[in-house]
Amino acid sequence: MPSHLILALILGLTILQPDETLRSYGGAAREWHLVTLNGTAFDAPATLSFPSRNRITGQAPCNRYNSRNAAPYPWIAIEEIAATRRACPDMQAETAYFAALKSANVAVIDGDTLTLSDEEQPLLVFKARD
């Protein structure tokens, strides 16, 4: 069988697989606003959304960002984060936010609350806004 047919078959099977990420389990069609980081109220603006399969986007305290999450729910594995490069007074908060996002490996959606945790504790708690 020619290699282009095999590639087309593999691509077709990949596309037809169900989306098992947070997006399919209540994460889609909402913008999630960060309320706590490491158990402390987070006063800077930060959002997270799931616009398409395996994609995340949002607004950190200073910059817009995007990345991939290919882990099935209830896990999350955020890959390298690409962000714009604006400086602002909240750069320390943004650095802490991105570090927590990359450290999270478990996600739980409970109504309008999204909690991202590591093996030991909740790292980020978001509230949904439709």
Side-chain angles (χ1 to χ4, degrees):
M1 184 180 295
S3 62
H4 67 282
L5 290 177
I6 293 171
L7 181 60
L9 178 63
I10 292 170
L11 182 59
L13 291 174
T14 301
I15 291 171
L16 295 176
Q17 288 180 351
D19 182 359
E20 293 293 328
T21 64
L22 276 163
R23 179 176 169 74
S24 292
Y25 289 88
R30 294 175 151 184
E31 184 173 70
W32 299 91
H33 294 260
L34 186 62
V35 291
T36 64
L37 173 71
N38 297 319
T40 304
F42 195 76
D43 296 325
T47 65
L48 176 63
S49 62
F50 304 94
S52 62
R53 183 178 182 171
N54 297 333
R55 301 296 309 164
I56 68 163
T57 64
Q59 176 67 49
C62 300
N63 293 286
R64 301 254 346 128
Y65 69 93
N66 66 73
S67 186
R68 283 184 41 84
N69 168 41
Y73 186 77
W75 297 279
I76 189 164
I78 296 175
E79 297 177 358
E80 286 302 312
I81 297 171
T84 56
R85 296 181 182 223
R86 290 183 8 185
C88 78
D90 287 330
M91 285 305 294
Q92 186 174 4
E94 181 163 301
T95 300
Y97 175 62
F98 286 155
L101 275 176
K102 290 197 53 117
S103 296
N105 55 25
V106 176
V108 175
I109 295 175
D110 184 15
D112 68 346
T113 302
L114 166 62
T115 304
L116 303 182
S117 305
D118 64 11
E119 295 85 11
E120 299 174 13
Q121 64 188 356
L123 300 174
L124 304 124
V125 178
F126 297 84
K127 289 291 184 179
R129 295 188 191 157
D130 294 328

